[in-house]
Amino acid sequence: MSQISLNIYIYIYVILRSATFLLRHSFCSIHNMSLLTKKEIIHQMKKGSIIINPFIEDNLGSNSYDLTIGPIVSVYTNEVLQFGNKNANHIDIINITDHGSIELNPERVYLFSTNEYVETKDCVGTIHARSSAARLGIDVICSGGIGDIGYGGFWTMAVSVRQRVIIPAMAKIAQMLFHSVRGKITTKYTDKPTAKYQNKDNMPISSREQIY
């Protein structure tokens, strides 16, 4: 075997070993995820670790809870939004109950608030679009949908669409999954001095990141 062939062989071997390691690591991470089932969600609610108000049993799925949109929607009016300068971004406030529905347009970001107050004292809640909404091209928090341990409030959902879509009031466009955590909880969201999204009313909260 020539030196060049040997080098190629070693290179391919290292690549394959690295790929194998990454696949195993990814599988283990997914395999070890602790997603609460319907029975466990109810159990945690009885313990007071999870609070959902109002709670409608029909909205509780096998491993998630369907969330409805609140009556108020905030719409950014800027053509160009600025990250890190919260005062530069302007919004219009729309009350859906005045019209019974709202039409969403592409190239705009809409901030909805959940109609439900949800608090996760000892676990983590994550928001995802329901499949019925996703199949209409409705993106619900395509990123940033992970809550903090101890967060409680009406959760703000950033929503965008691929084409014009009419959404009725109280629509169930999102669902929340609950995940158990491993390790000692040292600081909950409410204990953080930098906590800026604790939402005690159902007004959507726009980005509060301030860098300059």
Side-chain angles (χ1 to χ4, degrees):
M1 181 181 294
S2 66
Q3 184 63 42
I4 295 177
S5 299
L6 180 61
N7 290 339
I8 293 175
Y9 174 81
I10 294 174
Y11 175 78
I12 294 174
Y13 174 78
V14 171
I15 292 296
L16 290 175
R17 286 295 300 268
S18 299
T20 302
F21 172 80
L22 290 173
L23 286 172
R24 287 178 177 175
H25 179 74
S26 299
F27 174 78
C28 290
S29 298
I30 295 171
H31 184 69
N32 290 329
M33 284 180 64
S34 298
L35 184 63
L36 303 192
T37 62
K38 175 180 180 178
K39 183 177 180 180
E40 185 60 24
I41 293 172
I42 294 174
H43 175 67
Q44 294 299 324
M45 289 181 65
K46 290 179 179 179
K47 286 176 53 181
S49 296
I50 295 176
I51 298 173
I52 304 175
N53 185 32
F55 174 77
I56 300 174
E57 190 169 357
D58 287 345
N59 289 348
L60 182 61
S62 57
N63 54 270
S64 63
Y65 187 83
D66 291 341
L67 300 170
T68 57
I69 58 175
I72 305 300
V73 182
S74 298
V75 186
Y76 286 109
T77 58
N78 302 52
E79 290 299 325
V80 179
L81 300 176
Q82 292 188 38
F83 179 79
N85 187 2
K86 62 182 181 181
N87 297 320
N89 301 317
H90 306 288
I91 58 175
D92 280 342
I93 305 296
I94 301 173
N95 192 325
I96 308 178
T97 55
D98 293 341
H99 309 282
S101 63
I102 182 173
E103 180 178 307
L104 307 188
N105 294 288
E107 299 184 0
R108 290 291 176 190
V109 178
Y110 298 83
L111 300 179
F112 288 84
S113 179
T114 62
N115 202 50
E116 296 80 12
Y117 175 95
V118 182
E119 186 171 347
T120 54
K121 296 182 179 180
D122 302 305
C123 62
V124 172
T126 60
I127 293 182
H128 307 265
R130 296 182 65 227
S131 61
S132 55
R135 292 171 188 178
L136 293 177
I138 302 173
D139 291 326
V140 180
I141 312 186
C142 49
S143 61
I146 302 176
D148 286 272
I149 299 171
Y151 176 83
F154 298 86
W155 295 53
T156 297
M157 302 177 289
V159 177
S160 58
V161 295
R162 307 300 175 89
Q163 65 182 74
R164 294 165 62 188
V165 180
I166 296 175
I167 297 180
M170 294 291 293
K172 294 188 289 187
I173 64 172
Q175 59 187 328
M176 179 169 287
L177 280 63
F178 301 92
H179 309 263
S180 62
V181 296
R182 299 178 63 182
K184 183 179 179 180
I185 301 173
T186 55
T187 304
K188 294 188 177 182
Y189 186 81
T190 49
D191 301 325
K192 294 168 58 176
T194 57
K196 53 184 179 288
Y197 293 112
Q198 194 75 4
N199 193 2
K200 292 300 182 183
D201 57 39
N202 61 350
M203 286 290 294
I205 299 178
S206 59
S207 176
R208 290 182 173 174
E209 188 72 18
Q210 188 67 37
I211 300 175
Y212 51 88

